Structures are given as C-alpha cells and as structure tokens.
Amino acid sequence: MPSLLHRLIHLPERARRVTGNQAYIPQLDGLRFFAIMPVLFWHASIRGYRSMLNLFGMPPMGEPTWLPHGEVGVDLFFVISGFVIARPFLAMIEQGRSLKVGRFYLRRLLRLQPPYLLVLVVCAASAAFGLAGGGHNPGREVHRMIDPWASFWASFFYVHVPVFGVPSLLDPPIWSLEIEVQFYLLSPLLIWLYARMTCREWRLAAGIWAVTVAMIAGAAIRAGMGVFAPWSFTLATHLDGFLLGVLLADMRQWRLRPRPGAGAWKDAGFLLGLFLLLASGLWELLGAFWPMLLRDALRLLACALIVDGALGGTRAGRLAGAPWIALIGSACYSIYLIHVPLMVIVWIALTRVMHIPALWIIPSAMALLPIISIAAGLVFYALVERPFMSADWPAKFMRAFAPRLNRSEFSS
C-alpha cells in the first residue's frame, strides 16, 4: 500500500487539470498560481486592516494602500484567458479548419457553470438568512437595498454590474467572471478578424495597435467616469489584457523554436515582470488619465514578460511548472470562487474566539487566510470543479443515474 508521503508526492500529477484532447502545459497553471496569490493576500489584508480599524473605534471601511492591489492578479488572469482561448482558435484557422464556436460556448458553460452555481446558491442562502456576506466594496450601501435572490439571478446570468451598477452582493470578486463571459461572447469573432491577416508582420502590428487602443480607451473611461463607476467593471476597461493574451498566443505559435541563450533572458524578464506587476498595484486608485495610462502600460508589459518567461524561460519555466504550484493554479477557479466568503466567515470566527493584538492582526490575517483559502479551494476543486472538466461529464452523469431511474420506474 502506498505511503502517505508517496501519495502527497504524486497528488499533483493525479489531480492536475483535465484538458481533453489538448496537451497539458503545467506552466499555464503555474501562471494562474502567480495570478491568484496577489488576490488572496489583498483580500486577506482587507480583513485584517478593517479589524484593526475596528479595534481603534474607527469605521471598518477602506483598504490598505501599502500593499499591491489584488487587481494586478485579475489583470494577469485576463491575459492568460486571452492566451488560452486564442491558441485552439488560431490553430484551427492556421490549419484551414472551421471554428467550432457552438462547441466552444457549450464547453465553457458545462465546465464553469456548475461550481459557479453551487457557490451562488450557498452564498444567496447565507445572505437570505442573515449570515455573513462577502461584500467589502464601495457599493456596500447599495448592497443593503438589493435583495439576495435578486443579486443571485443577476449573478447567475453574469449581469450584476450592468443591472445594479456594483459587483455582486453575494461574492464580490465574481465581477471579473462577468468580464470573462463578455470576452467569451466576442472572442471567436475578434480572433477570426485578427487571423484574417495572413501576413504575420502586419498581423503583429495590428495586434499591438489594438492592444494600445484598448488600453487608451480603458484609461479614458476610468479617468472620465471614476475608478468605481460601473463601466470600470466591464470589458470596456479590460479588453487590453485579453487582446494582449491573443497577441502572445499568436507570437508563441509563430516562434516555437527558442533561440540559443534566450532562456536566461526570459528568466530575467519573468522576475522583472513580477516586480513591475506588483509595483503597478501600489497605484491602483489613480484618477488622472496620464498616470493611469502609464500604470496600465507598465502592467501590460509586466504581464507579457511573465507569460513569456514562464513559457520560454529555463528556471522560470521549471518554477511555473513545479507540481504543487501547477496544482494550485489548476484549482485557481475554485479558490477564486470561494475565497472571499470563506475569509469573511473564518475571520469573524477567529476574531471572536481569539484576542489578536492590533500590531499582529494584519500579519495574522495575511498568514492564515490565504493558506485556508488554498486548502479549502483544493478540496472544492477535487470534489466539485474537476469532475466537470471532463467534456463528456453529462453522458457519464446520465449513465450513472440511468440504472437507478430504471429501477425506480420498475418498482413503481
């Protein structure tokens, strides 16, 4: 019988992402790891920061300004999404095959909706019974006027921000999933238009131009309407990241053979990209157009360096593809779905049973809550999300329940 140590060593290999017919690239999940970690530490710091304010008799509002904002991770997620979605579409176009758009939409729905729906139901039921909610954003006063089940249905159809003007009452971080869905709807058309240019040099120039225009438009919208305006939580202000992912996927397909000595340069670029990404998060709440545009350009450059380094670097590739880093990246969707409601509940319980000194309350939150979120997310991933990664799970589900249904009909 295998020992516990042996099982732990081989767990990442057995529990890794299900990719269907595509080859598994652990570095892509490693990139997701580097995207989820700033989000976890940011939201954990908010819990500790507001508890500290509460200890000093101050309103528990606001966010720490000395830590990179969690949105840096969300923006890296958007670049990864653009990259991952573009790869099969570009390959189909390159090979002269027709795009399976209907299959793409159905696959996204069957893959992402079941765990998403389960989390929404649990959060809506908790909010309806007056239990702790996950809200921590500036729309808190508006949230008090939104019925939990109205928030549920708006979130179910990924239209909470367009309908109510604020992120979801039930699970605030899912505003980014609404943006992902908006890109899913447009991505086949955008990638098809992009790939119609057969000259790769012109296509590269058009891709850079599109990313630049989208970046300028996003900064202009946020500067004109405000950082927390509804438009700031839509694809209109985040299209540049997705388009950069498409561009990087095309460049990766174009240059599959690495140049001699390029790995070391990509390793250095990877480290520089991580530094620039985190540094850009220290200026998240800028309101003026030009500083915001400079920050966004810096962040896109950082994301490009990180993706290129993880996929083409020597040491960066080994780091991103390390088994446990890749496994946590595989579970990033589960972690992202549950981490804020979980952090709220766990932190309320901890602060009620433990007296944490004010000096240690933020470090305690940042040390405990990300670890708890990752552990719970891995369990949720194994039990809930991963079974739905298989493309034929509906058929397996029907085969599993058909004998029971037949037996119940016969007995009746």
Side-chain angles (χ1 to χ4, degrees), residues 92-353:
M92 290 179 190
I93 294 171
E94 191 77 15
Q95 297 164 9
R97 293 185 291 155
S98 59
L99 300 182
K100 307 295 184 180
V101 177
R103 181 180 299 176
F104 165 73
Y105 289 141
L106 181 62
R107 183 75 187 96
R108 292 282 99 187
L109 181 66
L110 295 177
R111 158 77 176 83
L112 301 175
Q113 195 68 6
Y116 178 77
L117 177 59
L118 176 60
V119 171
L120 280 184
V121 169
V122 173
C123 289
S126 300
F129 285 102
L131 301 179
H136 62 263
N137 52 63
R140 165 177 311 203
E141 295 301 323
V142 178
H143 279 160
R144 292 196 177 109
M145 299 182 291
I146 302 175
D147 178 77
W149 293 108
S151 183
F152 168 84
W153 286 112
S155 299
F156 178 83
F157 290 104
Y158 300 93
V159 292
H160 200 284
V161 170
V163 171
F164 294 113
V166 292
S168 176
L169 157 70
L170 308 175
D171 194 357
I174 63 176
W175 64 267
S176 67
L177 302 183
E178 295 187 7
I179 295 178
E180 293 265 4
V181 169
Q182 292 165 21
F183 179 70
Y184 294 161
L185 294 175
L186 293 177
S187 58
L189 175 61
L190 292 177
I191 296 171
W192 179 77
L193 290 173
Y194 170 75
R196 279 183 63 83
M197 287 177 284
T198 55
C199 176
R200 289 196 179 273
E201 288 78 8
W202 280 105
R203 199 156 84 188
L204 176 63
I208 296 173
W209 176 83
V211 172
T212 303
V213 170
M215 179 183 66
I216 294 173
I221 292 172
R222 287 195 299 269
M225 298 186 176
V227 177
F228 296 109
W231 279 100
S232 296
F233 298 94
T234 66
L235 186 62
T237 52
H238 292 86
L239 181 60
D240 51 353
F242 292 103
L243 294 180
L244 175 62
V246 175
L247 180 62
L248 292 174
D250 193 30
M251 294 174 65
R252 174 84 178 162
Q253 185 172 285
W254 188 7
R255 295 178 178 176
L256 292 178
R257 294 182 180 178
R259 296 176 179 177
W265 286 103
K266 291 178 184 292
D267 290 338
F270 178 81
L271 294 177
L272 177 62
L274 289 177
F275 172 78
L276 293 177
L277 182 71
L278 296 176
S280 71
L282 297 173
W283 292 278
E284 190 62 39
L285 301 182
L286 293 172
F289 171 74
W290 288 108
M292 191 181 297
L293 184 63
L294 177 61
R295 180 207 63 203
D296 292 350
L298 191 69
R299 187 170 299 174
L300 289 178
L301 173 63
C303 290
L305 290 173
I306 292 170
V307 173
D308 188 55
L311 296 177
T314 304
R315 295 182 179 179
R318 285 199 296 266
L319 175 63
W324 277 97
I325 287 180
L327 177 60
I328 294 172
S330 294
C332 69
Y333 181 59
S334 292
I335 297 170
Y336 194 81
L337 280 177
I338 71 171
H339 78 279
V340 165
L342 180 67
M343 283 184 178
V344 172
I345 295 171
V346 169
W347 191 242
I348 289 175
L350 285 176
T351 51
R352 284 181 179 176
V353 300

